[in-house]
Amino acid sequence: MNLDAHAAVLVLAMALVTWLLRFLPFLIFRKHTPAYILYLGKVLPSAMIGMLVIYCLKEVNLTIAPFGLPELLAAGSVVGLQCWKRNSLVSILFGTAVYMILTQIAF
């Protein structure tokens, strides 16, 4: 099997597993969804975002210049734009652009 076919099979397998994992709860809980599953559906997205923020900011050194200023400004721009526009994609892309501009040009 050549590399292109191998890559295509891998992508297809990953897509199938992802689809199955997302569809499986609907098959299992066809009639009634348990309360703890509904609870997890409400709290896990926020918890995962919090974990991603902590993971992204864990290496920021506040004792040397620029003292985490690019990260703080980029994170603030994401939060501000999200509160204003309520569009996650725009907020994340803008925050990424702000961070890259600050780290490459300003600091």
Side-chain angles (χ1 to χ4, degrees), residues 75-88 90-92:
S77 70
V78 169
V79 170
L81 196 58
Q82 181 63 28
C83 289
W84 179 39
K85 289 292 185 180
R86 301 272 185 218
N87 188 330
S88 300
V90 170
S91 300
I92 293 169

Side-chain angles (χ1 to χ4, degrees), residues 1-106:
M1 182 182 297
N2 65 16
L3 282 170
D4 290 337
H6 187 260
V9 168
L10 286 175
V11 168
L12 184 62
M14 288 184 281
L16 184 63
V17 168
T18 301
W19 178 81
L20 182 65
L21 288 174
R22 291 180 184 264
F23 191 68
L24 201 58
F26 295 105
L27 290 175
I28 294 172
F29 305 118
R30 204 173 281 191
K31 300 204 188 277
H32 183 305
T33 306
Y36 70 93
I37 298 294
L38 294 174
Y39 171 75
L40 289 175
K42 289 179 185 174
V43 298
L44 280 181
S46 300
M48 291 183 341
I49 294 295
M51 285 184 357
L52 285 171
V53 168
I54 290 169
Y55 177 77
C56 289
L57 297 177
K58 70 180 168 79
E59 299 292 324
V60 175
N61 193 344
L62 301 175
T63 60
I64 13 178
F67 307 108
L69 196 56
E71 292 85 358
L72 180 67
L73 292 173
S77 70
V78 169
V79 170
L81 196 58
Q82 181 63 28
C83 289
W84 179 39
K85 289 292 185 180
R86 301 272 185 218
N87 188 330
S88 300
L89 183 61
V90 170
S91 300
I92 293 169
L93 288 176
F94 184 77
T96 302
V98 167
Y99 177 73
M100 294 309 290
I101 289 168
L102 289 173
T103 56
Q104 299 297 320
I105 297 171

